[in-house]
Amino acid sequence: MKRYILILTFLSSIIPFALSAAGAEPESRFIPRIIKIVDESEIDSLAECGVEMLRRRGDILLCLFPDAPTRSGQVHARVSRPIIPVLDESMRHYDAGSIQSGAATGTPFTGRGVVVGICDIGIDPLHPVFLDADGRSRIKRVVQYIEQEGIRLQLDGDDEYRNWVTDNPDMYHATHVCGILAGGGAGTPYVGVAPDAEIVATVSTLTEVGLLAGVEDIIDYAKEVGKPAVINISVGSYTGPHDGSSLFSQYLDMCGEDAFIVLSAGNEGSHKNTLLSEFSPARRSVSFRLGNTAWDQYHMYGMTDIWSGSSSPLSVSLGLYDTNEKKIERWLEPCALIGGETRTYLWGGGNSDPEAFPFEGELTAIGYVDSENGRHCTSLVYDFTSVERACDGEWARYVLAVEVSGEAGEDVEVYADGSYTRLYGLPGSPAPSSDLTISDLACGFNVISVGMYGNRDSVPRSHPQMLADDEIFFEPTGYGRGSTVVHSSYGTLRDGRVLPLTVAPGATLMSAGSRPFLEANPFHPHLRLGGSTWIDEGGTSMSAPYVAGYIATWLEAVPTLSVSDVRRIIASTNRIDIPDSDDPHNAAGFFDPVAALRLAIRSAGIDSVEDSGIDVSPDEYVEVYDVAGVKRYAGVASGLSGMEKGLYVVRAPRGVGKMVLR
């Protein structure tokens, strides 16, 4: 079965681990896919074909298809996208640490009574940063998916964690992200944002199906314990329609009815990975070159999407660009693919076709009208190598060019995957830009997207050779506190939405480093402190859990908040008195967790309760708020005798009212 790979990436600066190339993946039992059914009878048809359904919301299913041709009937499918692996200072921004200390509102908020979860890879559940005062892990559940093998493993508690150790010793992303979200610090300054929250970690091979199934597992646990849930997803994709219509976004929006879901914006804000243009009578085409992120342009592997603004198909032609002569040597015949048609170009291997390019490998184009948004898309999936060097010997002489043609008035959006592919301009055509590099996964309507700004000037590390606890030096980060980070992705969508929703500290944060990872990779830069291991990392992978953790503290204060409340509160309190306020990377403004918490408390309506007295018995459970809306007490009413005299708002089993303590 031919598989078309859509590439996703971790949204931090971890060096990507190689994925197998399109058409050459290792053998697997299952292919994870998101399915949209047309008719309920399709459920039985899928089961007859050996398809396993993991989860379902509405008419969208998370499925594992047998790795063999199947006849699935009238279903709308998307190939699940493989993902490539993309606080001490941060709490000083806008006095954020005053929320945990209690200085901001008179009551400390640390995520108590809230479940926080991650969908990621590389968790160390017994890392000291996750242990409570009794030495037990605050990670209450770990769920691991190995999608291609059809495996779901649920682990509950320390004994099972000891036997399991970790899901992937070559990854630390989940440990680092979870430490920012809710780590306890283990006696160091590197305390997470919600250190008293319950944690659920879901890990997978990072397909869309694995991520969404993990979201459902976190929601299930939160419902079991009767607590609100905040979920962080620090991965993204730069291909896709960027309009919130993908099946992944639709499914995640439905999950957003049961949890607060935070996603990274992306780290491609300084790269020219998009080309946005409108055809006119004078210019009916745009063209560009494909290049790789290694900059030598020899090996091209990845994916590029070409989206029309309507159902009208766009014609695509491949060209051969000579980097010595700085010109197009020739164009191939254009083609417009519709209805799922494909065209594969095979190069090398004794190919005698006079139109063949001097490459070894292949490119496949597939064209279709997306039934979710009515827009035509041509996807290019490729894995080929240039066989001739440029005159300087350091660069491929020939690279692939692409020309896209359409009717006047039609518009085109081109998205390179960013993980492996960059776009380069050609004379006479609009230049690629970074204007819509926001992750496609973050384009949903019921989620919270987060960009990043500079967090610190330097990071501590152990001595690179001794690696002793007391041998610490400081490495410059290249960023300043509160500085604009041009890598942070952004964009204005077709419907006018400006993303990300907020911008938070992300470059660079210190957090927990997975011990199995550092055992397998002992020379990876890290810090040993307080008997624990720490890693510095930067990216929107780090800014997203920072925001997610603070949302957990708001929910501790005001459990009745909705996702729409949180989105509104964030947008209303973002700081615009910032450096480079006109820079599109900062369009939303900087995240202000203290102002947001105070607005959440005011918005809860606690201070607008009518002046009607309320009587409670000594053994009744009550929650007591001051007139500013800050929770001052929770417990049996007999404990009120220790509070200061004054006017309070009391939530009791028989209602809400004002009470004067004398």
Side-chain angles (χ1 to χ4, degrees):
M1 175 181 287
K2 185 70 176 180
R3 298 189 288 276
Y4 297 96
I5 296 182
L6 305 182
I7 297 175
L8 283 77
T9 181
F10 277 125
L11 299 181
S12 65
S13 55
I14 293 177
I15 297 174
F17 290 77
L19 278 182
S20 54
E25 302 94 28
E27 290 299 318
S28 59
R29 292 179 54 212
F30 295 96
I31 301 172
R33 289 183 175 177
I34 305 177
I35 297 297
K36 189 170 188 178
I37 60 172
V38 176
D39 188 280
E40 285 295 319
S41 64
E42 289 301 314
I43 300 291
D44 294 334
S45 299
L46 290 167
E48 291 173 3
C49 294
V51 177
E52 295 186 10
M53 183 173 67
L54 293 179
R55 295 280 188 163
R56 174 180 182 178
R57 282 189 180 246
D59 54 1
I60 303 179
L61 284 58
L62 309 182
C63 295
L64 299 177
F65 275 65
D67 192 5
T70 61
R71 300 175 65 183
S72 56
Q74 299 298 314
V75 297
H76 176 196
R78 287 289 179 272
V79 178
S80 190
R81 298 181 266 195
I83 299 172
I84 305 168
V86 162
L87 289 160
D88 60 327
E89 291 285 335
S90 62
M91 289 201 181
R92 298 183 187 181
H93 298 283
Y94 303 118
D95 202 24
S98 64
I99 291 178
Q100 289 82 359
S101 69
T105 58
T107 300
F109 295 114
T110 56
R112 192 178 303 277
V114 179
V115 173
V116 297
I118 59 168
C119 304
D120 217 300
I121 189 170
I123 190 67
D124 177 4
L126 293 177
H127 191 287
V129 77
F130 303 126
L131 303 184
D132 62 19
D134 297 323
R136 305 286 295 179
S137 179
R138 288 173 40 243
I139 298 181
K140 302 300 184 181
R141 178 171 296 167
V142 173
V143 180
Q144 180 185 12
Y145 288 93
I146 307 176
E147 298 92 301
Q148 295 78 1
E149 298 180 25
I151 293 175
R152 179 188 182 274
L153 178 65
Q154 179 173 311
L155 304 161
D156 294 283
D158 295 29
D159 292 340
E160 294 184 1
Y161 300 160
R162 288 188 188 94
N163 293 328
W164 178 75
V165 181
T166 187
D167 60 301
N168 191 327
D170 286 320
M171 294 288 185
Y172 64 82
H173 198 262
T175 305
H176 196 273
V177 166
C178 195
I180 297 168
L181 176 64
T188 75
Y190 312 123
V191 181
V193 176
D196 287 322
E198 292 183 40
I199 306 170
V200 177
T202 66
V203 290
S204 64
T205 62
L206 296 183
T207 62
E208 290 181 302
V209 167
L211 289 171
L212 293 174
V215 169
E216 294 280 28
D217 287 315
I218 298 166
I219 291 172
D220 284 350
Y221 178 86
K223 289 182 176 179
E224 288 174 19
V225 298
K227 297 177 180 179
V230 182
I231 301 173
N232 183 83
I233 305 177
S234 285
V235 298
S237 171
Y238 303 113
T239 58
H242 289 73
D243 58 12
S245 67
S246 72
L247 294 184
F248 181 94
S249 289
Q250 290 186 51
Y251 195 98
L252 203 60
D253 278 344
M254 287 189 282
C255 292
E257 299 170 3
D258 294 320
F260 299 79
I261 300 172
V262 182
L263 294 106
S264 302
N267 299 335
E268 292 295 309
S270 63
H271 296 131
K272 315 292 187 184
N273 292 342
T274 62
L275 195 159
L276 315 173
S277 187
E278 182 174 333
F279 300 124
S280 67
R283 192 187 70 238
R284 295 273 303 278
S285 67
V286 297
S287 55
F288 54 91
R289 292 175 290 153
L290 291 181
N292 64 22
T293 55
W295 309 110
D296 59 11
Q297 312 313 321
Y298 280 111
H299 185 200
M300 284 302 307
Y301 163 61
M303 180 176 181
T304 296
D305 272 358
I306 303 168
W307 287 87
S308 169
S310 70
S311 60
S312 299
L314 301 175
S315 293
V316 176
S317 177
L318 303 185
L320 186 66
Y321 183 81
D322 187 334
T323 62
N324 280 356
E325 301 296 328
K326 302 292 190 289
K327 67 177 184 179
I328 296 290
E329 184 173 293
R330 65 182 185 272
W331 289 104
L332 300 184
E333 188 71 22
C335 65
L337 302 172
I338 59 176
E341 292 178 301
T342 65
R343 180 168 178 176
T344 298
Y345 301 84
L346 297 173
W347 298 308
N351 192 335
S352 60
D353 185 347
E355 293 289 300
F357 290 164
F359 302 143
E360 293 280 351
E362 67 179 84
L363 178 147
T364 296
I366 178 172
Y368 60 94
V369 174
D370 190 307
S371 60
E372 300 306 306
N373 56 30
R375 299 167 59 194
H376 185 273
C377 178
T378 301
S379 292
L380 308 179
V381 184
Y382 35 83
D383 182 10
F384 63 87
T385 302
S386 182
V387 298
E388 187 171 340
R389 293 180 180 272
C391 57
D392 60 9
E394 300 297 327
W395 198 269
R397 175 172 181 177
Y398 293 104
V399 298
L400 191 69
V402 180
E403 183 177 58
V404 183
S405 303
E407 297 295 328
E410 187 61 83
D411 64 285
V412 60
E413 298 174 1
V414 182
Y415 301 105
D417 60 66
S419 300
Y420 300 109
T421 307
R422 299 273 186 260
L423 300 183
Y424 293 88
L426 284 172
S429 186
S433 72
S434 56
D435 287 344
L436 200 52
T437 51
I438 185 76
S439 165
D440 180 68
L441 301 190
C443 292
F445 297 90
N446 208 23
V447 299
I448 296 152
S449 54
V450 184
M452 64 172 162
Y453 65 80
N455 178 50
R456 57 191 304 157
D457 301 307
S458 63
V459 291
R461 291 180 182 167
S462 296
H463 190 281
Q465 294 179 346
M466 298 296 293
L467 295 179
D469 290 355
D470 57 352
E471 294 285 343
I472 297 175
F473 70 104
F474 287 83
E475 182 79 13
T477 63
Y479 305 103
R481 294 187 71 246
S483 62
T484 297
V485 178
V486 295
H487 307 308
S488 187
S489 292
Y490 63 94
T492 300
L493 309 190
R494 299 178 67 86
D495 59 12
R497 286 181 291 151
V498 178
L499 297 180
L501 186 64
T502 192
V503 184
T508 297
L509 274 70
M510 294 292 299
S511 186
S514 166
R515 295 167 302 167
F517 171 83
L518 290 171
E519 289 173 7
N521 303 271
F523 295 104
H524 185 92
H526 67 281
L527 172 70
R528 294 175 183 247
L529 184 66
S532 301
T533 52
W534 310 90
I535 291 177
D536 60 275
E537 192 60 79
T540 56
S541 273
M542 285 67 242
S543 59
Y546 180 88
V547 171
Y550 275 110
I551 293 173
T553 67
W554 306 345
L555 289 171
E556 179 187 2
V558 188
T560 56
L561 288 173
S562 67
V563 174
S564 59
D565 290 335
V566 168
R567 287 172 53 90
R568 173 183 53 80
I569 288 168
I570 291 174
S572 299
T573 56
N574 279 337
R575 298 291 291 265
I576 58 174
D577 54 335
I578 56 177
D580 307 319
S581 59
D582 294 331
D583 190 304
H585 299 85
N586 302 330
F590 286 3
F591 182 62
D592 188 336
V594 174
L597 171 61
R598 289 170 174 162
L599 178 58
I601 291 171
R602 291 197 303 272
S603 299
I606 296 169
D607 56 354
S608 63
V609 176
E610 293 183 3
D611 190 9
S612 56
I614 183 170
D615 295 322
V616 295
S617 60
D619 59 347
E620 284 184 326
Y621 177 85
V622 296
E623 293 180 350
V624 181
Y625 300 80
D626 63 21
V627 292
V630 177
K631 184 188 292 186
R632 302 300 298 273
Y633 176 82
V636 294
S638 58
L640 295 176
S641 59
M643 294 186 62
E644 296 178 356
K645 297 178 181 179
L647 177 64
Y648 294 88
V649 175
V650 177
R651 293 183 183 274
R654 284 173 285 177
V656 178
K658 292 184 179 180
M659 175 181 290
V660 178
L661 298 180
R662 306 181 185 280

